[in-house]
Amino acid sequence: TEETADAAEAETQGPKVESSITSCLINPDKKSVTVKVTSSGDMTGTDGVLYLVEQKPYQKDLEGRLDYAGAAAFGTEVTYQFPLNKGTADDRLYSRFVAAVWDGTKYIEVSEPHYITNPEAVASNTAEFNDPLTKKGLNIELNMLADAFELGVKHVGTNIAFHQILGQGIDYQYDGKTYHFDKRVIEDYDRTISALSGKGMTVTAIILNGWNDATPDLIYPGTKKSSNAFYYLFNAATEAGFEQTKAIASFLAERYDGSNPDQGKISNWIIGNEINNQQWNYTGAWDLNSYVQAYQDAFRVFYTAIKSVSANDRVYFSLDYNWNNEIDNKLKYGGKNIVDTFNSIAAVQGQMDWGLSYHPYPAPMTEPEFWDDAQTGWITSDFNSPVINFANLNVLTDYMAQSAFRSPTGDVRHIILTEEGFTAKSPTRGDIPQIQAAAFAYSYYLVDSNPYIDAYILSRQVDAPLEVRSGLAFGLWECDMNKGDTIVATRRRKIWQVFRDIDKKKYTLEATDFAKPIVGINKWSDIIPNFRWRAMEQ
């Protein structure tokens, strides 16, 4: 008992302080940062000072640290101000800060870490977001731009291979270091992005981190190459990984800020693909919290780099349709759990204006009729639905409209649908182009009438032979199946004309009239809440 009493006494002698960083903001001068901290407790055993210590994303504790960003006499509310040092080797734009006390030998953390939450305050590009007149988008073939223009495409997606960007030919200085980018690769992206944004399309870039033996620092430490993985988790967990990721993200943000018409403008940035399934964002078996924390640390580097260049660009993470389905909590996680965890971590460490990119394919993908998907048992009308797709899309927007998930300004977060399609071939029925076209019409009207979805990018302009061989013919055009994996368009399908006319007031109802008996309705307004063209229906 004497021993336990001694232990209890030693326990009570340590500082009993609780602190919370309530805000961490760049000031209007764009050169300094103000951090506000609330505290309570007993400072016995300390020097009576509340310190604010800076951490880089890869620094997990304060061991061995003697430096500090700010110091103040302990009080219930303390404010610190210090230089931002943007553009120097001591740049604090990407840092997080933690409140700590000094016990005579070491720092003891007394708050959760908190990042700067308004990187847009230093952005040189403050132009408004390019919000197109309609939500209609398409994944297009670059050699078919004229066709895309005829189709009236307003939104378009393009992939950027993060792991193939470093190289030779373009030198770039960032935070006091010089980085080298592959001129040939970058000029290819220039041609693609400028061709799209130059036609007035809003460009969404999907940043994908593949395996490259030449750039090991871009892969999360300890990750083994996997034959089951297409892409890998970004790395902000080591100094080299953080520095390189930060520089590449900043280079892309600056290059595609719209100031040079020969390079073009990216407006939406998706960091990784379908992160609830590690096949697309691999690092190895992890619990949900550790995985989302590591992803968010990297996401925040991109977010900060992008928003500090173009204030109104939008930054997203991406989910497949498995909302509460196919979960093992090692390599696969429910989309709902990812949203919940990402949001709760951000709420503590500094909330961002993050958005959601979603992929509501039919279930199964081999049949286009989503309106009968409830028979799979995967579709319900509540937040516990195993799958969310077009059959119950309002469940997603109802979930995101809850106050806990709203953006820092109180708005429902930006939601875009960036990959979904309907096959024109069925394994049981053969060619079904009319049903494909009907499915698109119905789905487009659902999105068009939902105020919380900004864009709908259909996959794809032309069938991909690789997909057709696995039973998925998503294209507005058929393809030549005698050209290997090369995509060569041959013939338009019914969906082509529906796609072209669906967002035109004069033609939309006429273009989709054929679909009503296929879906089994008399009027679209019978199944589409707030149907946009209700007044024009006969």
Side-chain angles (χ1 to χ4, degrees):
T1 53
E2 207 170 310
E3 277 178 22
T4 48
D6 287 350
E9 191 183 344
E11 184 66 32
T12 54
Q13 282 171 349
K16 291 275 179 290
V17 180
E18 280 189 8
S19 294
S20 174
I21 298 175
T22 54
S23 71
C24 186
L25 296 167
I26 298 168
N27 293 317
D29 66 5
K30 302 186 181 186
K31 290 185 169 65
S32 61
V33 180
T34 296
V35 177
K36 294 187 174 174
V37 180
T38 59
S39 293
S40 63
D42 176 8
M43 291 286 274
T44 307
T46 77
D47 61 3
V49 176
L50 191 65
Y51 295 94
L52 193 72
V53 186
E54 176 188 1
Q55 288 181 313
K56 300 298 183 192
Y58 52 85
Q59 295 174 322
K60 298 304 181 205
D61 56 50
L62 301 183
E63 201 174 324
R65 295 284 295 271
L66 300 171
D67 60 306
Y68 53 85
F74 179 73
T76 50
E77 289 188 40
V78 181
T79 301
Y80 304 88
Q81 190 164 322
F82 46 83
L84 179 61
N85 300 329
K86 184 178 183 294
T88 73
D90 300 319
D91 192 347
R92 286 170 158 153
L93 186 62
Y94 298 84
S95 298
R96 60 181 177 225
F97 302 89
V98 62
V101 294
W102 181 258
D103 72 355
T105 58
K106 64 184 183 302
Y107 280 126
I108 298 167
E109 292 179 42
V110 295
S111 79
E112 293 284 348
H114 199 292
Y115 287 87
I116 291 170
T117 55
N118 65 334
E120 65 278 1
V122 296
S124 51
N125 175 18
T126 56
E128 287 302 304
F129 185 85
N130 174 28
D131 235 338
L133 294 172
T134 78
K135 302 179 184 185
K136 187 171 79 177
L138 186 64
N139 279 322
I140 67 179
E141 298 302 315
L142 253 198
N143 61 355
M144 293 183 67
L145 259 182
D147 181 64
F149 208 51
E150 190 181 345
L151 285 161
V153 174
K154 304 289 192 293
H155 296 265
V156 64
T158 190
N159 292 344
I160 292 182
F162 191 72
H163 56 296
Q164 291 172 350
I165 286 176
L166 294 174
Q168 294 301 322
I170 298 174
D171 293 344
Y172 175 72
Q173 285 199 309
Y174 195 66
D175 284 356
K177 286 189 183 169
T178 302
Y179 299 85
H180 309 285
F181 290 84
D182 189 314
K183 190 168 195 275
R184 189 185 50 79
V185 170
I186 297 301
E187 287 179 349
D188 266 353
Y189 288 128
D190 291 351
R191 277 189 287 276
T192 301
I193 293 157
S194 63
L196 303 172
S197 65
K199 292 283 191 194
M201 299 177 201
T202 294
V203 178
T204 296
I206 302 99
I207 314 293
L208 300 167
N209 194 28
W211 188 277
N212 183 346
D213 291 330
T215 54
D217 293 320
L218 298 182
I219 301 283
Y220 195 90
T223 304
K224 305 273 191 288
K225 191 172 185 180
S226 166
S227 56
N228 297 324
F230 297 114
Y231 298 105
Y232 292 80
L233 179 65
F234 296 96
N235 177 24
T238 63
E239 185 172 359
F242 162 68
E243 296 277 349
Q244 288 176 32
T245 298
K246 172 178 77 163
I248 299 173
S250 175
F251 172 82
L252 291 172
E254 285 182 27
R255 190 155 188 106
Y256 303 115
D257 68 353
S259 60
N260 184 338
D262 295 332
Q263 293 165 358
K265 170 68 187 152
I266 294 171
S267 300
N268 292 320
W269 305 78
I270 300 171
I271 312 307
N273 182 53
E274 297 187 350
I275 63 163
N276 54 315
N277 182 346
Q278 275 203 37
Q279 192 173 25
W280 299 100
N281 199 52
Y282 184 73
T283 182
W286 273 20
D287 67 278
L288 174 73
N289 264 36
S290 306
Y291 174 72
V292 176
Q293 179 70 68
Y295 171 78
Q296 186 173 115
D297 287 343
F299 179 95
R300 204 182 275 274
V301 173
F302 284 95
Y303 181 89
T304 300
I306 292 160
K307 298 290 272 186
S308 65
V309 172
S310 291
N312 295 309
D313 280 8
R314 296 172 184 170
V315 191
Y316 301 81
F317 63 86
S318 143
L319 300 175
D320 68 20
Y321 71 14
N322 286 306
W323 188 243
N324 289 292
N325 193 44
E326 287 193 17
I327 298 172
D328 62 18
N329 284 322
K330 292 190 194 73
L331 297 170
K332 291 184 174 185
Y333 317 87
K336 177 177 177 290
N337 289 340
I338 295 275
V339 169
D340 292 354
T341 308
F342 189 99
N343 190 57
S344 60
I345 292 172
V348 171
Q349 297 179 2
Q351 194 53 273
M352 298 168 275
D353 192 12
W354 55 267
L356 179 61
S357 152
Y358 199 79
H359 299 168
Y361 281 102
M365 285 162 66
T366 47
E367 303 287 356
E369 298 98 322
F370 61 84
W371 51 93
D372 64 3
D373 284 358
Q375 68 193 20
T376 59
W378 298 344
I379 303 286
T380 63
S381 56
D382 60 273
F383 294 154
N384 296 317
S385 184
V387 162
I388 294 178
N389 68 6
F390 287 113
N392 59 344
L393 194 60
N394 65 294
V395 174
L396 179 69
T397 51
D398 288 350
Y399 194 76
M400 296 300 291
Q402 297 177 102
S403 59
F405 297 104
R406 294 196 172 217
S407 76
T409 52
D411 299 307
V412 177
R413 292 182 182 277
H414 293 291
I415 302 168
I416 51 178
L417 309 182
T418 50
E419 191 196 306
E420 50 281 317
F422 306 99
T423 183
K425 291 182 188 296
S426 156
T428 53
R429 295 168 291 170
D431 285 338
I432 46 169
Q434 297 287 111
I435 300 175
Q436 176 202 34
F440 169 70
Y442 186 179
S443 67
Y444 186 84
Y445 283 156
L446 281 168
V447 173
D448 199 33
S449 303
N450 188 320
Y452 301 129
I453 298 175
D454 297 333
Y456 174 177
I457 301 177
L458 187 72
S459 194
R460 52 181 49 251
Q461 189 175 11
V462 188
D463 283 352
L466 194 65
E467 290 176 350
V468 176
R469 288 194 287 273
S470 64
L472 300 172
F474 288 142
L476 309 187
W477 290 76
E478 295 178 32
C479 69
D480 188 336
M481 290 302 288
N482 300 312
K483 295 269 167 44
D485 287 343
T486 307
I487 295 175
V488 179
T490 54
R491 210 161 57 120
R492 291 174 180 172
R493 289 196 176 99
K494 171 71 175 171
I495 190 175
W496 188 95
Q497 181 246 326
V498 178
F499 185 97
R500 182 191 64 189
D501 293 342
I502 196 153
D503 58 347
K504 297 189 176 92
K505 183 177 183 178
K506 191 173 172 185
Y507 303 113
T508 182
L509 290 176
E510 185 186 331
T512 59
D513 196 54
F514 79 98
K516 291 189 288 194
I518 295 173
V519 178
I521 55 165
N522 294 317
K523 281 185 174 179
W524 289 112
S525 52
D526 293 342
I527 53 167
I528 310 279
N530 312 310
F531 181 53
R532 188 176 184 180
W533 312 110
R534 179 194 301 263
M536 290 162 45
E537 281 192 302
Q538 298 304 313

